[in-house]
Protein backbone atom coordinates (compact mmCIF):
# COMPACT_ATOMS: atom_id res chain seq x y z
CA UNK A 1 0.00 0.00 0.00
CA UNK A 2 2.99 2.30 0.48
CA UNK A 3 4.08 2.05 -3.16
CA UNK A 4 3.07 4.68 -5.73
CA UNK A 5 1.01 3.07 -8.52
CA UNK A 6 0.25 4.47 -11.95
CA UNK A 7 -3.38 3.69 -12.83
CA UNK A 8 -4.34 4.11 -16.49
CA UNK A 9 -8.08 4.35 -17.24
CA UNK A 10 -10.09 6.09 -19.99
CA UNK A 11 -11.31 9.56 -18.98
CA UNK A 12 -14.92 8.43 -19.53
CA UNK A 13 -16.57 5.01 -19.64
CA UNK A 14 -20.25 4.40 -20.39
CA UNK A 15 -21.33 0.98 -19.09
CA UNK A 16 -24.66 -0.84 -19.07
CA UNK A 17 -27.79 -1.36 -21.18
CA UNK A 18 -28.33 1.43 -23.75
CA UNK A 19 -25.02 3.10 -22.95
CA UNK A 20 -24.62 3.81 -26.67
CA UNK A 21 -27.49 6.31 -26.50
CA UNK A 22 -25.44 8.45 -24.11
CA UNK A 23 -22.70 8.87 -26.70
CA UNK A 24 -24.41 11.34 -29.04
CA UNK A 25 -24.13 14.34 -26.73
CA UNK A 26 -20.57 13.43 -25.75
CA UNK A 27 -19.51 13.40 -29.42
CA UNK A 28 -21.34 16.61 -30.24
CA UNK A 29 -19.62 18.42 -27.36
CA UNK A 30 -16.13 17.52 -28.54
CA UNK A 31 -16.23 19.35 -31.87
CA UNK A 32 -14.80 16.61 -34.07
CA UNK A 33 -15.26 17.18 -37.81
CA UNK A 34 -14.76 13.73 -39.36
CA UNK A 35 -14.21 10.25 -37.96
CA UNK A 36 -12.61 7.09 -39.25
CA UNK A 37 -15.16 4.41 -38.32
CA UNK A 38 -13.28 1.11 -37.82
CA UNK A 39 -15.33 -2.09 -37.61
CA UNK A 40 -15.66 -5.50 -39.30
CA UNK A 41 -17.80 -6.91 -42.06
CA UNK A 42 -19.92 -9.07 -39.75
CA UNK A 43 -21.07 -6.11 -37.67
CA UNK A 44 -21.91 -4.23 -40.85
CA UNK A 45 -23.88 -7.21 -42.18
CA UNK A 46 -25.96 -7.80 -39.02
CA UNK A 47 -26.85 -4.13 -38.60
CA UNK A 48 -24.88 -3.26 -35.45
CA UNK A 49 -22.72 -0.78 -37.35
CA UNK A 50 -25.85 1.00 -38.53
CA UNK A 51 -26.86 1.67 -34.92
CA UNK A 52 -23.57 3.45 -34.36
CA UNK A 53 -23.87 5.33 -37.64
CA UNK A 54 -27.24 6.66 -36.44
CA UNK A 55 -25.52 8.03 -33.32
CA UNK A 56 -22.78 9.64 -35.41
CA UNK A 57 -25.36 11.27 -37.66
CA UNK A 58 -27.32 12.45 -34.63
CA UNK A 59 -24.17 14.07 -33.28
CA UNK A 60 -23.55 15.79 -36.65
CA UNK A 61 -20.27 13.93 -37.09
CA UNK A 62 -19.19 13.06 -40.62
CA UNK A 63 -17.40 9.72 -41.00
CA UNK A 64 -15.77 7.29 -43.40
CA UNK A 65 -15.86 3.54 -42.76
CA UNK A 66 -13.11 0.92 -42.77
CA UNK A 67 -14.65 -2.52 -42.23
CA UNK A 68 -12.04 -4.98 -43.50
CA UNK A 69 -10.45 -5.78 -40.14
CA UNK A 70 -9.53 -9.45 -39.81
CA UNK A 71 -10.11 -11.75 -36.84
CA UNK A 72 -6.49 -11.17 -35.85
CA UNK A 73 -5.77 -7.64 -37.17
CA UNK A 74 -2.54 -7.47 -39.13
CA UNK A 75 -0.10 -4.89 -40.41
CA UNK A 76 -2.01 -4.56 -43.69
CA UNK A 77 -5.22 -3.71 -41.84
CA UNK A 78 -3.36 -0.95 -40.03
CA UNK A 79 -1.86 0.42 -43.26
CA UNK A 80 -5.24 0.39 -45.00
CA UNK A 81 -6.99 2.10 -42.11
CA UNK A 82 -4.30 4.75 -41.82
CA UNK A 83 -4.44 5.49 -45.56
CA UNK A 84 -8.21 6.08 -45.38
CA UNK A 85 -7.84 8.27 -42.30
CA UNK A 86 -5.11 10.36 -43.93
CA UNK A 87 -6.90 10.71 -47.25
CA UNK A 88 -10.09 11.90 -45.53
CA UNK A 89 -8.35 14.14 -42.99
CA UNK A 90 -10.11 12.49 -40.06
CA UNK A 91 -9.55 14.03 -36.64
CA UNK A 92 -10.88 11.16 -34.52
CA UNK A 93 -11.45 7.40 -34.64
CA UNK A 94 -14.59 5.46 -33.75
CA UNK A 95 -14.03 1.74 -33.18
CA UNK A 96 -16.83 -0.83 -33.04
CA UNK A 97 -16.41 -4.50 -32.25
CA UNK A 98 -14.44 -6.86 -30.09
CA UNK A 99 -10.70 -6.72 -29.75
CA UNK A 100 -9.95 -6.84 -33.47
CA UNK A 101 -11.39 -3.45 -34.56
CA UNK A 102 -10.33 -1.94 -31.22
CA UNK A 103 -6.69 -2.99 -31.63
CA UNK A 104 -6.60 -1.95 -35.28
CA UNK A 105 -8.06 1.46 -34.44
CA UNK A 106 -5.54 1.99 -31.64
CA UNK A 107 -2.65 1.17 -33.97
CA UNK A 108 -3.98 3.59 -36.58
CA UNK A 109 -4.38 6.28 -33.93
CA UNK A 110 -0.79 5.89 -32.74
CA UNK A 111 0.61 6.03 -36.29
CA UNK A 112 -1.54 9.06 -37.12
CA UNK A 113 0.25 11.14 -34.49
CA UNK A 114 3.65 9.42 -34.23
CA UNK A 115 4.35 8.34 -37.81
CA UNK A 116 6.36 5.34 -38.94
CA UNK A 117 5.13 1.75 -39.22
CA UNK A 118 3.32 -0.33 -36.61
CA UNK A 119 6.25 -2.74 -36.30
CA UNK A 120 8.28 0.08 -34.71
CA UNK A 121 5.97 0.24 -31.68
CA UNK A 122 6.22 -3.34 -30.46
CA UNK A 123 7.10 -3.37 -26.78
CA UNK A 124 6.36 -1.16 -23.79
CA UNK A 125 5.57 2.58 -24.04
CA UNK A 126 7.46 3.10 -27.29
CA UNK A 127 5.41 5.97 -28.77
CA UNK A 128 6.09 9.57 -27.82
CA UNK A 129 2.76 11.24 -28.61
CA UNK A 130 -0.85 10.61 -27.58
CA UNK A 131 -2.98 8.83 -30.13
CA UNK A 132 -5.56 10.61 -32.20
CA UNK A 133 -8.77 10.74 -30.08
CA UNK A 134 -10.49 7.32 -30.01
CA UNK A 135 -14.05 6.48 -29.04
CA UNK A 136 -14.22 2.71 -28.54
CA UNK A 137 -17.55 0.87 -28.63
CA UNK A 138 -17.31 -2.72 -27.47
CA UNK A 139 -19.61 -5.52 -28.70
CA UNK A 140 -18.17 -8.56 -26.89
CA UNK A 141 -17.59 -9.40 -23.23
CA UNK A 142 -14.02 -10.37 -23.81
CA UNK A 143 -10.85 -8.51 -24.69
CA UNK A 144 -11.46 -5.22 -22.83
CA UNK A 145 -9.26 -3.55 -25.45
CA UNK A 146 -11.59 -0.56 -25.27
CA UNK A 147 -10.23 0.36 -21.83
CA UNK A 148 -6.67 -0.97 -21.74
CA UNK A 149 -3.25 0.37 -22.67
CA UNK A 150 -2.63 -2.72 -24.82
CA UNK A 151 -3.09 -3.61 -28.45
CA UNK A 152 -1.95 -6.60 -30.50
CA UNK A 153 -1.20 -6.68 -34.23
CA UNK A 154 -0.18 -9.73 -36.26
CA UNK A 155 3.01 -9.55 -38.31
CA UNK A 156 2.11 -12.03 -41.05
CA UNK A 157 5.64 -12.12 -42.42
CA UNK A 158 7.08 -13.38 -39.13
CA UNK A 159 3.86 -15.18 -38.13
CA UNK A 160 3.90 -13.59 -34.70
CA UNK A 161 1.60 -11.34 -32.75
CA UNK A 162 3.24 -8.07 -31.78
CA UNK A 163 2.19 -6.88 -28.33
CA UNK A 164 2.14 -3.14 -27.68
CA UNK A 165 1.75 -1.84 -24.15
CA UNK A 166 1.38 1.91 -24.58
CA UNK A 167 -0.25 4.51 -22.35
CA UNK A 168 -0.66 6.72 -25.42
CA UNK A 169 -3.19 4.36 -27.01
CA UNK A 170 -5.71 4.77 -24.17
CA UNK A 171 -9.08 5.75 -25.62
CA UNK A 172 -10.99 8.94 -24.79
CA UNK A 173 -14.41 7.31 -24.37
CA UNK A 174 -15.14 3.61 -23.81
CA UNK A 175 -18.64 2.27 -24.36
CA UNK A 176 -19.83 -1.08 -23.03
CA UNK A 177 -23.49 -1.41 -23.96
CA UNK A 178 -24.79 -4.89 -23.13
CA UNK A 179 -27.65 -4.39 -25.60
CA UNK A 180 -25.05 -4.53 -28.38
CA UNK A 181 -23.88 -7.89 -27.02
CA UNK A 182 -27.25 -9.63 -27.38
CA UNK A 183 -27.77 -12.41 -29.95
CA UNK A 184 -24.08 -13.02 -30.52
CA UNK A 185 -23.26 -16.64 -31.49
CA UNK A 186 -22.76 -19.01 -28.58
CA UNK A 187 -19.26 -19.90 -29.77
CA UNK A 188 -18.22 -16.23 -29.86
CA UNK A 189 -19.75 -15.59 -26.44
CA UNK A 190 -17.88 -18.58 -25.01
CA UNK A 191 -14.52 -17.65 -26.55
CA UNK A 192 -14.63 -13.99 -25.56
CA UNK A 193 -15.96 -14.85 -22.11
CA UNK A 194 -13.12 -17.27 -21.45
CA UNK A 195 -10.71 -14.60 -22.72
CA UNK A 196 -12.10 -12.26 -20.05
CA UNK A 197 -11.76 -14.98 -17.41
CA UNK A 198 -8.14 -15.50 -18.45
CA UNK A 199 -7.53 -11.76 -18.06
CA UNK A 200 -8.95 -11.84 -14.55
CA UNK A 201 -7.08 -14.95 -13.40
CA UNK A 202 -3.76 -13.90 -14.91
CA UNK A 203 -4.14 -10.42 -13.43
CA UNK A 204 -4.77 -12.00 -10.02
CA UNK A 205 -1.68 -14.23 -10.03
CA UNK A 206 0.75 -12.03 -11.98
CA UNK A 207 3.88 -10.71 -10.29
CA UNK A 208 2.57 -7.16 -10.81
CA UNK A 209 -0.67 -7.74 -8.88
CA UNK A 210 -1.52 -5.44 -5.96
CA UNK A 211 -4.48 -4.77 -3.67
CA UNK A 212 -6.57 -2.76 -6.14
CA UNK A 213 -6.03 -5.13 -9.07
CA UNK A 214 -6.68 -8.15 -6.82
CA UNK A 215 -10.05 -6.74 -5.76
CA UNK A 216 -11.10 -6.13 -9.36
CA UNK A 217 -9.80 -9.48 -10.61
CA UNK A 218 -11.60 -11.54 -7.99
CA UNK A 219 -14.90 -9.73 -8.58
CA UNK A 220 -14.48 -10.26 -12.31
CA UNK A 221 -13.89 -14.00 -11.82
CA UNK A 222 -17.03 -14.16 -9.69
CA UNK A 223 -19.16 -12.28 -12.25
CA UNK A 224 -17.92 -14.34 -15.19
CA UNK A 225 -18.18 -17.64 -13.35
CA UNK A 226 -21.80 -16.94 -12.44
CA UNK A 227 -23.00 -15.58 -15.79
CA UNK A 228 -21.03 -17.00 -18.75
CA UNK A 229 -22.99 -20.25 -18.95
CA UNK A 230 -26.28 -18.33 -19.05
CA UNK A 231 -24.98 -15.88 -21.65
CA UNK A 232 -23.90 -18.76 -23.89
CA UNK A 233 -27.14 -20.67 -23.39
CA UNK A 234 -29.45 -17.71 -24.07
CA UNK A 235 -28.24 -14.92 -26.35
CA UNK A 236 -31.13 -12.71 -25.21
CA UNK A 237 -30.38 -12.94 -21.48
CA UNK A 238 -29.73 -9.26 -20.76
CA UNK A 239 -28.92 -9.88 -17.09
CA UNK A 240 -26.20 -12.38 -17.97
CA UNK A 241 -24.90 -10.17 -20.77
CA UNK A 242 -24.72 -7.16 -18.46
CA UNK A 243 -22.88 -9.12 -15.77
CA UNK A 244 -20.44 -10.30 -18.44
CA UNK A 245 -20.01 -6.72 -19.68
CA UNK A 246 -19.09 -5.60 -16.17
CA UNK A 247 -16.91 -8.66 -15.62
CA UNK A 248 -14.77 -8.09 -18.68
CA UNK A 249 -14.71 -4.33 -18.01
CA UNK A 250 -13.21 -4.64 -14.54
CA UNK A 251 -10.90 -7.47 -15.62
CA UNK A 252 -9.53 -5.08 -18.24
CA UNK A 253 -8.92 -2.40 -15.63
CA UNK A 254 -7.03 -4.94 -13.54
CA UNK A 255 -4.71 -6.46 -16.13
CA UNK A 256 -4.08 -3.16 -17.92
CA UNK A 257 -2.53 -1.88 -14.71
CA UNK A 258 -0.76 -4.96 -13.36
CA UNK A 259 0.01 -7.20 -16.33
CA UNK A 260 -0.79 -10.68 -17.61
CA UNK A 261 1.18 -13.92 -17.83
CA UNK A 262 2.20 -16.98 -19.76
CA UNK A 263 -1.26 -18.00 -20.98
CA UNK A 264 -1.25 -14.95 -23.20
CA UNK A 265 2.36 -15.43 -24.22
CA UNK A 266 1.58 -18.93 -25.48
CA UNK A 267 -1.81 -18.03 -26.97
CA UNK A 268 -0.28 -15.19 -28.99
CA UNK A 269 1.90 -17.71 -30.81
CA UNK A 270 -1.07 -19.88 -31.77
CA UNK A 271 -2.86 -16.83 -33.13
CA UNK A 272 0.19 -15.60 -35.00
CA UNK A 273 1.03 -18.94 -36.59
CA UNK A 274 -2.45 -20.37 -37.20
CA UNK A 275 -4.74 -17.30 -37.16
CA UNK A 276 -6.84 -18.94 -34.44
CA UNK A 277 -9.41 -17.16 -32.21
CA UNK A 278 -7.54 -15.64 -29.29
CA UNK A 279 -10.17 -16.46 -26.68
CA UNK A 280 -10.27 -20.13 -27.63
CA UNK A 281 -6.49 -20.39 -27.40
CA UNK A 282 -6.53 -18.77 -23.97
CA UNK A 283 -9.31 -21.04 -22.76
CA UNK A 284 -7.49 -24.22 -23.78
CA UNK A 285 -4.16 -23.14 -22.30
CA UNK A 286 -5.44 -21.53 -19.09
CA UNK A 287 -5.79 -24.61 -16.84
CA UNK A 288 -2.45 -26.07 -17.94
CA UNK A 289 -0.48 -22.87 -17.38
CA UNK A 290 -2.10 -22.32 -13.98
CA UNK A 291 -1.42 -25.94 -13.09
CA UNK A 292 2.23 -25.13 -13.77
CA UNK A 293 1.99 -21.90 -11.75
CA UNK A 294 0.22 -23.57 -8.83
CA UNK A 295 3.51 -24.32 -7.13
CA UNK A 296 4.04 -20.62 -6.40
CA UNK A 297 0.50 -19.20 -6.16
CA UNK A 298 -1.52 -21.89 -4.41
CA UNK A 299 -3.21 -19.56 -1.94
CA UNK A 300 -4.43 -17.30 -4.73
CA UNK A 301 -5.67 -20.21 -6.83
CA UNK A 302 -7.70 -21.25 -3.80
CA UNK A 303 -9.42 -17.85 -3.95
CA UNK A 304 -10.00 -18.39 -7.69
CA UNK A 305 -11.73 -21.69 -6.90
CA UNK A 306 -14.02 -19.96 -4.41
CA UNK A 307 -14.79 -17.10 -6.82
CA UNK A 308 -15.80 -19.69 -9.43
CA UNK A 309 -18.26 -21.20 -6.96
CA UNK A 310 -16.29 -24.16 -5.60
CA UNK A 311 -16.90 -25.14 -1.99
CA UNK A 312 -13.40 -25.29 -0.50
CA UNK A 313 -14.45 -25.76 3.11
CA UNK A 314 -11.96 -27.96 4.91
CA UNK A 315 -9.66 -28.25 1.90
CA UNK A 316 -5.89 -28.02 2.09
CA UNK A 317 -4.06 -25.51 -0.11
CA UNK A 318 -3.14 -28.33 -2.47
CA UNK A 319 -6.78 -29.42 -2.72
CA UNK A 320 -7.89 -25.84 -3.35
CA UNK A 321 -5.40 -25.51 -6.20
CA UNK A 322 -6.82 -28.62 -7.81
CA UNK A 323 -10.35 -27.34 -7.27
CA UNK A 324 -9.47 -24.14 -9.15
CA UNK A 325 -8.07 -26.04 -12.13
CA UNK A 326 -11.10 -28.35 -12.14
CA UNK A 327 -13.50 -25.37 -12.02
CA UNK A 328 -11.74 -23.70 -14.97
CA UNK A 329 -11.88 -26.90 -17.02
CA UNK A 330 -15.54 -27.47 -16.19
CA UNK A 331 -16.58 -23.95 -17.18
CA UNK A 332 -14.64 -24.26 -20.41
CA UNK A 333 -16.29 -27.58 -21.20
CA UNK A 334 -19.76 -26.34 -20.25
CA UNK A 335 -19.59 -23.44 -22.72
CA UNK A 336 -18.32 -25.60 -25.58
CA UNK A 337 -14.65 -24.71 -25.83
CA UNK A 338 -12.68 -27.35 -27.82
CA UNK A 339 -11.02 -29.92 -25.57
CA UNK A 340 -7.49 -29.34 -26.87
CA UNK A 341 -5.20 -27.92 -29.51
CA UNK A 342 -5.59 -31.06 -31.60
CA UNK A 343 -9.17 -30.03 -32.37
CA UNK A 344 -7.80 -26.75 -33.77
CA UNK A 345 -5.51 -28.67 -36.16
CA UNK A 346 -2.35 -27.42 -34.47
CA UNK A 347 0.73 -29.38 -35.54
CA UNK A 348 2.96 -30.51 -32.63
CA UNK A 349 6.03 -29.95 -34.82
CA UNK A 350 5.45 -26.21 -34.31
CA UNK A 351 5.55 -26.41 -30.51
CA UNK A 352 9.25 -25.66 -30.21
CA UNK A 353 9.15 -22.62 -32.50
CA UNK A 354 6.08 -21.27 -30.72
CA UNK A 355 7.67 -21.93 -27.34
CA UNK A 356 10.74 -19.89 -28.30
CA UNK A 357 8.56 -16.98 -29.38
CA UNK A 358 6.41 -17.28 -26.25
CA UNK A 359 9.45 -16.86 -24.04
CA UNK A 360 10.20 -13.55 -25.78
CA UNK A 361 6.60 -12.29 -25.52
CA UNK A 362 5.93 -9.10 -23.54
CA UNK A 363 3.48 -10.90 -21.23
CA UNK A 364 6.02 -13.51 -20.09
CA UNK A 365 7.60 -11.21 -17.53
CA UNK A 366 4.33 -11.08 -15.61
CA UNK A 367 4.07 -14.81 -15.03
CA UNK A 368 4.47 -15.74 -11.34
CA UNK A 369 6.79 -18.65 -12.09
CA UNK A 370 9.76 -18.68 -14.45
CA UNK A 371 9.37 -21.10 -17.31
CA UNK A 372 11.91 -22.79 -19.55
CA UNK A 373 11.73 -23.76 -23.20
CA UNK A 374 11.28 -27.42 -22.30
CA UNK A 375 8.52 -26.61 -19.79
CA UNK A 376 6.72 -24.46 -22.38
CA UNK A 377 6.76 -27.30 -24.89
CA UNK A 378 5.38 -29.63 -22.21
CA UNK A 379 2.50 -27.22 -21.56
CA UNK A 380 1.66 -27.13 -25.27
CA UNK A 381 1.78 -30.93 -25.27
CA UNK A 382 -0.50 -31.17 -22.22
CA UNK A 383 -3.00 -28.84 -23.91
CA UNK A 384 -2.92 -30.83 -27.13
Amino acid sequence: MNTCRRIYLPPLSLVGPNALLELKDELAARGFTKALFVTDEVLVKIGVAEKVEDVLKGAGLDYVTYSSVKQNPNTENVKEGLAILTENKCDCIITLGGGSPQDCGKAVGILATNGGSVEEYEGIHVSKKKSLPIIAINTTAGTASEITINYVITDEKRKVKMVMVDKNCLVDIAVNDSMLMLNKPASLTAATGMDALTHAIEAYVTVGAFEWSDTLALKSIELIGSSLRDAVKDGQNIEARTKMAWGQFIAGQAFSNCGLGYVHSMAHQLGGMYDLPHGVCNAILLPYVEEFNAEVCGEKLGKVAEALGADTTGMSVDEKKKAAIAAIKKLSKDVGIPAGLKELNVDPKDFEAMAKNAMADVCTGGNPREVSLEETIKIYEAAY
Side-chain angles (χ1 to χ4, degrees):
M1 295 291 287
N2 295 322
T3 302
C4 177
R5 300 282 183 176
R6 290 178 179 266
I7 307 295
Y8 296 105
L9 299 171
L12 175 64
S13 290
L14 305 172
V15 189
N18 297 310
L20 179 65
L21 302 182
E22 302 291 323
L23 186 60
K24 184 182 76 172
D25 291 343
E26 292 293 338
L27 289 175
R30 280 164 166 75
F32 299 130
T33 59
K34 192 168 187 176
L36 173 67
F37 181 28
V38 181
T39 187
D40 61 43
E41 294 174 355
V42 172
L43 291 172
V44 172
K45 184 177 180 180
I46 65 176
V48 177
E50 186 177 1
K51 294 179 180 180
V52 175
E53 290 172 342
D54 288 343
V55 171
L56 301 183
K57 292 171 184 175
L61 179 58
D62 192 14
Y63 63 93
V64 58
T65 301
Y66 176 61
S67 60
S68 298
V69 181
K70 291 187 176 182
Q71 169 180 263
N72 289 298
N74 58 34
T75 55
E76 285 304 309
N77 288 146
V78 177
K79 290 176 183 177
E80 291 167 358
L82 181 63
I84 295 172
L85 178 143
T86 303
E87 180 182 350
N88 289 273
K89 299 179 180 179
C90 300
D91 56 2
C92 67
I93 299 171
I94 311 290
T95 56
L96 172 71
S100 304
Q102 309 296 351
D103 284 5
C104 182
K106 284 169 149 182
V108 170
I110 288 291
L111 294 187
T113 55
N114 287 269
S117 63
V118 69
E119 293 90 340
E120 297 172 36
Y121 297 95
E122 185 176 9
I124 301 176
H125 301 311
V126 176
S127 73
K128 303 299 183 185
K129 299 177 182 177
K130 178 75 175 73
S131 162
L132 208 64
I134 300 175
I135 294 84
I137 305 163
N138 185 28
T139 60
T140 64
T143 71
S145 180
E146 77 284 353
I147 61 162
T148 71
I149 58 172
N150 307 57
Y151 62 100
V152 181
I153 302 296
T154 297
D155 182 338
E156 291 188 310
K157 292 180 181 178
R158 292 187 292 153
K159 291 188 177 181
V160 297
K161 281 191 166 186
M162 301 180 292
V163 180
M164 290 75 163
V165 180
D166 190 346
K167 62 184 182 295
N168 286 326
C169 77
L170 196 65
V171 309
D172 292 71
I173 305 175
V175 181
N176 273 283
D177 185 341
S178 45
M179 298 298 289
L180 298 179
M181 301 175 188
L182 295 174
N183 294 321
K184 295 298 186 297
S187 58
L188 176 64
T189 302
T192 55
M194 290 301 294
D195 185 22
L197 180 67
T198 304
H199 291 155
I201 292 175
E202 288 213 288
Y204 188 53
V205 302
T206 182
V207 296
F210 58 107
E211 292 85 352
W212 180 80
S213 63
D214 280 353
T215 301
L216 292 175
L218 274 180
K219 185 60 180 179
S220 174
I221 294 166
E222 178 187 322
L223 285 168
I224 295 166
S226 66
S227 59
L228 181 55
R229 290 179 179 88
D230 291 336
V232 170
K233 183 178 180 181
D234 178 7
Q236 286 278 18
N237 189 327
I238 188 61
E239 181 180 354
R241 293 286 183 178
T242 300
K243 286 174 70 176
M244 284 299 302
W246 277 106
Q248 73 90 38
F249 175 72
I250 61 177
Q253 292 180 45
F255 88 78
S256 185
N257 289 286
C258 70
L260 289 166
Y262 215 50
V263 180
H264 273 74
S265 298
M266 295 180 70
H268 287 154
Q269 313 320 315
L270 290 164
M273 186 165 288
Y274 289 96
D275 196 29
L276 294 170
H278 177 64
V280 173
C281 297
N282 274 340
I284 292 173
L285 290 166
L286 178 60
Y288 299 101
V289 173
E290 298 316 324
E291 201 165 35
F292 172 81
N293 287 335
E295 183 179 307
V296 297
C297 56
E299 293 285 350
K300 280 199 163 185
L301 285 177
K303 295 293 186 182
V304 169
E306 293 166 10
L308 286 174
D311 183 359
T312 62
T313 305
M315 286 187 180
S316 66
V317 173
D318 189 55
E319 289 170 332
K320 289 180 180 180
K321 292 188 295 189
K322 292 178 180 177
I325 303 305
I328 293 168
K329 288 182 176 180
K330 187 176 189 308
L331 178 56
S332 190
K333 181 179 180 180
D334 288 351
V335 298
I337 296 294
L341 299 178
K342 186 175 182 179
E343 292 187 28
L344 303 182
N345 297 315
V346 174
D347 192 333
K349 72 176 177 59
D350 292 324
F351 286 168
E352 183 174 353
M354 290 193 296
K356 289 178 180 178
N357 287 335
M359 293 183 70
D361 190 274
V362 167
C363 296
T364 298
N367 203 62
R369 183 182 175 190
E370 289 189 11
V371 57
S372 68
L373 178 65
E374 292 73 19
E375 288 165 333
T376 305
I377 293 172
K378 286 181 180 179
I379 295 172
Y380 276 129
E381 290 172 344
Y384 187 68

